[in-house]
Amino acid sequence: MSALKLHTLKQKLLAIVAASFVARVITFFALPNTPTFLAPDEGTYASLTKWIGESNPVDQFPVYGESLYLSGRALIVPASLFYRAGIDELDAVRLVASMYGFCAIGLVVIMILKFYSHFVSSGAIQPRNEKLIVILILVFAFLPSHFVWSNLALRESSTEFWLIATFMAFFVIFHQKKIKIMSLLILIVSIVFTFSARPQVGWVLGMALIVYLIFNLRQRNTYFILPTVLCAVVLGSSLNLGIILYPGSTGSTGSTGSTGSTGSTGSTGITLARIFNPLLNAGEIVEYKQEANQLEAASVIETQNCPVEPTSVAASPPTKFGTYFCIAWRAPYMVSTFLFRPILGFDITSKSSLFAGFENIAWVLLFGTILGLLIRRRTISFLNQLLPTIIFLFVYVMGASAYQGNMGTGFRHKSLILWAVLLVIFALAWRKPLEPDETPRNNSQESAV
């Protein structure tokens, strides 16, 4: 019976994977030969792919300079190889993005099947749980915006793939009895490539794992994993700043707009202050990027007034306390905007915002489901195993919401947490065997006995 259940679920999940592959192939050939109105940044990534594919100096790239390459190598380098093989630069980036998206689904399915046999043997798989797995994988594979972003020439799918790979490697290492060197290497590579896909996410990921490990110092494996994560964070940050791999580089010079990343300002050499600058100055960087993302945006997120913010240009610049206080003061508004706007009837300014408004109904339902299950169940299954993901989800939402300056970019960046939201729903909705509300009720005769 257990083998039959495993085979049945495997068939269903593989059918979803196959459907995703077919849908991606059709989408790839159906997309126009120019950047879509949904993602004008496609043109920038395509130009950079061509620039790198033709072996031009990265620091002379006319749009955003070296910083865009350093913060997007996980996507750009493989795309440049396809370009050198004769594929059009835009198609090359789209192809790599779609491959990342497909591989992310494959990673999730592999992990589910890997542990499914354990749940079957323990009697924890009920028909309801099997249906839950299938439904959540379907949402992950085919939620419209998530599917679209992972097929366009953008960094969303590459970031998501390496993020999921990191959490899977971390889970396996932390909960296995004997740590293997290869597992630690996979963890390091995954964290480093997350930095090379989107550095801001790399910092959130690194901090989430470090916080979790600090509160689990009683676990023996922590003393192997914590130095590994710290080394991976330092290496990832160093690579993103151009300190390693490009010894003669003066580092990123910063950028504006949604495509680039804020880097260093010309210092050279490896210093802790430079490596951890994005973390030490996170508040200032968040405010700078928010203002940059507001420029020429059709759906600007207005910055709320803050009680400790200077009221005039002549006033003294804000202190670090004031900067972080204002971020916290605006958090409720910014988080709700990031998660649920644009709203139909209020924020619609274009076709893309209309599309986002309709899909945000699904996001409201997802978070409403989490809230409803929390109130009803008051417990969450696999809490210890999911805690690193929950920490990441919380920190990412707080940071990304403060970071956004327009609803379009915010809606796109929100797709990165879909897997984590679905995982929380999975844990909340998971039914253990013989739960009280599923225990068969006694009939009148049995009661009488």
Side-chain angles (χ1 to χ4, degrees), residues 339-351:
L339 293 178
F340 306 124
R341 293 177 68 186
I343 301 173
L344 290 175
F346 295 93
D347 303 316
I348 306 306
T349 59
S350 62
K351 292 181 180 179

Side-chain angles (χ1 to χ4, degrees), residues 37-38 348-356:
F37 74 94
L38 290 171
I348 306 306
T349 59
S350 62
K351 292 181 180 179
S352 56
S353 63
L354 179 63
F355 168 84

Side-chain angles (χ1 to χ4, degrees), residues 4 13 114 231 249 357 434:
L4 180 60
L13 296 183
K114 179 178 177 62
C231 290
S249 169
L434 299 179

Side-chain angles (χ1 to χ4, degrees), residues 373-381 383 427-429 432 435:
L373 289 172
L374 277 173
I375 295 173
R376 180 184 174 188
R377 302 291 297 276
R378 299 183 182 180
T379 58
I380 180 170
S381 304
L383 179 59
L428 284 168
K432 298 178 182 178
E435 285 198 350

Side-chain angles (χ1 to χ4, degrees), residues 50-71:
K50 182 178 180 180
W51 185 270
I52 300 301
E54 294 176 350
S55 301
N56 293 309
V58 294
D59 57 347
Q60 296 179 21
F61 181 60
V63 185
Y64 304 116
E66 184 185 34
S67 63
L68 181 59
Y69 170 76
L70 292 175
S71 62

Side-chain angles (χ1 to χ4, degrees), residues 81 124 136 196 201 244 391:
L81 298 178
L136 294 181
S196 294
V201 178
I244 301 175
I391 295 172

Side-chain angles (χ1 to χ4, degrees), residues 29-276:
F29 287 103
L31 287 171
N33 295 325
T34 56
T36 64
F37 74 94
L38 290 171
D41 287 347
E42 280 193 303
T44 304
Y45 292 117
S47 298
L48 179 57
T49 295
K50 182 178 180 180
W51 185 270
I52 300 301
E54 294 176 350
S55 301
N56 293 309
V58 294
D59 57 347
Q60 296 179 21
F61 181 60
V63 185
Y64 304 116
E66 184 185 34
S67 63
L68 181 59
Y69 170 76
L70 292 175
S71 62
R73 280 172 294 185
L75 176 69
I76 298 302
V77 170
S80 67
L81 298 178
F82 281 118
Y83 173 78
R84 291 178 180 179
I87 299 177
D88 174 78
E89 61 267 27
L90 182 58
D91 287 340
V93 190
R94 285 174 174 171
L95 179 60
V96 173
S98 186
M99 290 172 63
Y100 268 125
F102 178 75
C103 290
I105 298 173
L107 270 183
V108 173
V109 170
I110 289 172
M111 184 60 71
I112 288 174
L113 294 177
K114 179 178 177 62
F115 292 97
Y116 185 78
S117 58
H118 167 73
F119 292 132
V120 170
S121 62
S122 64
I125 293 292
Q126 301 179 13
R128 177 191 176 99
N129 291 335
E130 184 176 314
K131 291 178 182 178
L132 175 66
I133 293 172
V134 173
I135 290 172
L136 294 181
I137 293 297
L138 279 171
V139 174
F140 180 70
F142 294 109
L143 185 73
S145 68
H146 183 260
F147 179 81
V148 169
W149 303 139
S150 66
N151 282 282
L152 298 181
L154 300 169
R155 289 185 286 173
E156 268 57 43
S157 60
S158 58
T159 307
E160 179 182 68
F161 173 84
W162 290 112
L163 188 62
I164 293 175
T166 299
F167 276 103
M168 287 188 173
F170 182 85
F171 172 81
V172 171
I173 297 171
F174 191 82
H175 295 283
Q176 68 183 6
K177 294 181 179 180
K178 185 178 181 181
I179 294 181
K180 299 179 181 179
I181 298 298
M182 182 57 66
S183 299
L184 293 175
L185 290 176
I186 292 174
L187 179 62
I188 292 174
V189 169
S190 298
I191 294 175
V192 169
F193 271 84
T194 303
F195 272 91
S196 294
R198 193 176 292 278
Q200 300 89 341
V201 178
W203 278 111
V204 175
L205 169 64
M207 292 305 100
L209 296 182
I210 290 171
V211 168
Y212 176 78
L213 290 169
I214 289 175
F215 283 96
N216 282 273
L217 291 177
R218 293 182 179 180
Q219 295 286 340
R220 182 182 64 87
N221 287 0
T222 296
Y223 295 93
F224 295 94
I225 304 175
L226 184 56
T228 302
V229 173
L230 286 170
C231 290
V233 168
V234 171
L235 179 59
S237 178
S238 301
L239 286 169
N240 182 55
L241 293 174
I243 298 174
I244 301 175
L245 191 64
Y246 292 97
S249 169
T250 58
S252 307
T253 56
S255 65
T256 60
S258 62
T259 310
S261 63
T262 304
S264 60
T265 56
S267 61
T268 59
I270 300 178
T271 63
L272 288 178
R274 188 180 175 202
I275 291 173
F276 288 96

